[in-house]
Amino acid sequence: MPHSQSRRSLKIQVLARLLIVALLLVQLLWFPPHEHKAACGVLVACYALWSLLLIEIAWSDRQRMRWTWHFLWLDLLVVASLLVVSQGFAAPVGARPPADDAFFLVPVLAAFQLRPRVTGAMTCATALAYLLSLALSRGDLGWASVVLHVLSLLLLGAVCTSLTWVQSERVRTVEKLMTQSHALLEQTMDAQERARRSLAEALHDEALQNVLAARHDVDEGRTPEYRQEALGRADLALAQAAQQMRSIVGELHPAVLRELGLVQAVQALVGSARGRGKFDVLAEYEPVPRFRLENLAFDAARELLGNIVKHAEARHVRIRLHAADGRVRMLLEDDGVGLPPGATTDSVRRGHIGLASLRVRIESAGGRLLLEPHIPSGTSALVELPLVPATD
């Protein structure tokens, strides 16, 4: 349990303990014990001071209380001892002494530990302690009433145990989600760093090299006898650099998607991927109207095509993009090496969250991402998104 949650539960528990103190004080003042009145008074006074001390500790930031569930045994011991030492109370006929009702509060206190086993154990221990304390006292037992009292106590304890289990499951779920969110945040930051590094490498290894080559050719062109050939090479290198930079910028912020729509943007992506992956493409495009989730569909195409280029070792790729029945469907099939079992989970563990985050985004938008083996080899990826009309 998180420290803050434990601290709040502790504070509520020590305040609830004051209810036991109040019941015991009412017992001594209005329904005095048959014997050992002074001893009973000292016992209740010491217990009240102990309860106040726990309140001071719980609200103090100087230290943290541990093993607080052990205090429940002291609560039970005090209530049972009072019943034994008093040898019964002068309660009106038909009325049950308030000290008996104090036993009911022990399982309630245990429930604040958010530990079902502790609550269940304290419930059973409380029922047993109640029976033993009655057996050691000399009062009229009224066993029919006692059995009913014990059954009610066990029922209350069962309810408290169930509620404790439900609450503890919620706490564990929250802790798990917090852990996952922290891990996802770290992985996202790592992914952003990798994306920046990949962009820097692409600019350095491709466009920048062509620019440097063009600059060298321009310098060489200063010599008259090499001018025409050198300037020709410089022009070609600059054209290649421009094309490479357009491709990089187009993938980062596709103007064609904004201006012409998803089909043309995906066509540009496929053309770029085909050049980088050296595979043949069979493309089937049907008109897709403008819709609100175009950027997400484009991101899905970019991520899936990028994975084919980097990992699939495919020779042939088939893509089909169309809209039907109020949904946009994009199917990508390749004949590469395929995805091994658990590949998505393993990639997340290694810090690669592309497919995992894409799946979350698609499902959050009301769509689905389905990855399956492609027969006889490769991977089949299906992306479905709701055809939500675009808004101006």
Side-chain angles (χ1 to χ4, degrees), residues 17-38:
R17 186 172 278 107
L18 294 180
L19 294 177
I20 297 180
V21 175
L23 285 176
L24 298 184
L25 289 175
V26 169
Q27 181 71 72
L28 295 181
L29 295 176
W30 278 276
F31 308 100
H34 291 154
E35 298 182 7
H36 306 109
K37 295 182 181 180

Side-chain angles (χ1 to χ4, degrees), residues 277-294:
K278 310 299 181 185
F279 47 71
D280 295 328
V281 176
L282 174 61
E284 302 175 31
Y285 303 111
E286 297 180 11
V288 175
R290 305 305 298 263
F291 68 110
R292 189 182 304 171
L293 301 175
E294 284 181 344

Side-chain angles (χ1 to χ4, degrees), residues 305-314 334 336-339 350 352:
L305 285 169
N307 285 336
I308 293 175
V309 171
K310 295 177 183 177
H311 309 296
E313 301 177 11
D334 67 77
V337 297
L339 284 174
R350 295 193 302 269
H352 304 286

Side-chain angles (χ1 to χ4, degrees), residues 102-235:
F103 283 94
F104 280 87
L105 292 175
V106 176
V108 175
L109 293 182
F112 289 106
Q113 298 293 135
L114 296 184
R115 298 168 65 180
R117 292 183 180 179
V118 171
T119 307
M122 290 308 305
T123 298
C124 296
T126 302
L128 182 60
Y130 178 67
L131 290 174
L132 289 176
S133 61
L134 284 180
L136 294 175
S137 66
R138 294 201 301 266
D140 183 13
L141 298 179
W143 285 108
S145 176
V146 169
V147 170
L148 181 61
H149 198 71
V150 170
L151 290 178
S152 300
L153 193 153
L154 292 174
L155 178 60
L156 174 64
V159 172
C160 290
T161 303
S162 300
L163 292 175
T164 301
W165 180 81
V166 172
Q167 186 65 16
S168 62
E169 286 296 312
R170 290 180 178 177
V171 170
R172 280 193 289 270
T173 300
V174 171
E175 290 179 343
K176 183 179 179 180
L177 290 175
M178 290 178 62
T179 301
Q180 291 177 345
S181 65
H182 291 160
L184 184 59
L185 178 59
E186 293 178 359
Q187 293 165 2
T188 301
M189 295 175 67
D190 291 341
Q192 291 175 346
E193 178 61 27
R194 287 194 302 272
R196 288 192 292 266
R197 185 166 57 248
S198 176
L199 176 59
E201 290 174 353
L203 291 173
H204 179 271
D205 296 341
E206 297 178 1
L208 182 58
Q209 296 304 315
N210 282 320
V211 171
L212 293 176
R215 180 179 178 182
H216 176 75
D217 291 332
V218 169
D219 290 338
E220 188 177 345
R222 300 179 189 278
T223 305
E225 58 269 27
Y226 300 114
R227 179 171 300 166
Q228 184 173 0
E229 180 182 355
L231 292 179
R233 292 197 305 269
D235 181 68

Side-chain angles (χ1 to χ4, degrees), residues 71-124:
F71 299 153
L72 299 171
W73 294 106
L74 179 60
D75 301 324
L76 186 56
L77 179 62
V78 168
V79 177
S81 298
L82 182 65
L83 199 59
V84 173
V85 172
S86 67
Q87 292 295 299
F89 299 91
V93 177
R96 181 166 296 279
D100 287 11
D101 295 330
F103 283 94
F104 280 87
L105 292 175
V106 176
V108 175
L109 293 182
F112 289 106
Q113 298 293 135
L114 296 184
R115 298 168 65 180
R117 292 183 180 179
V118 171
T119 307
M122 290 308 305
T123 298
C124 296

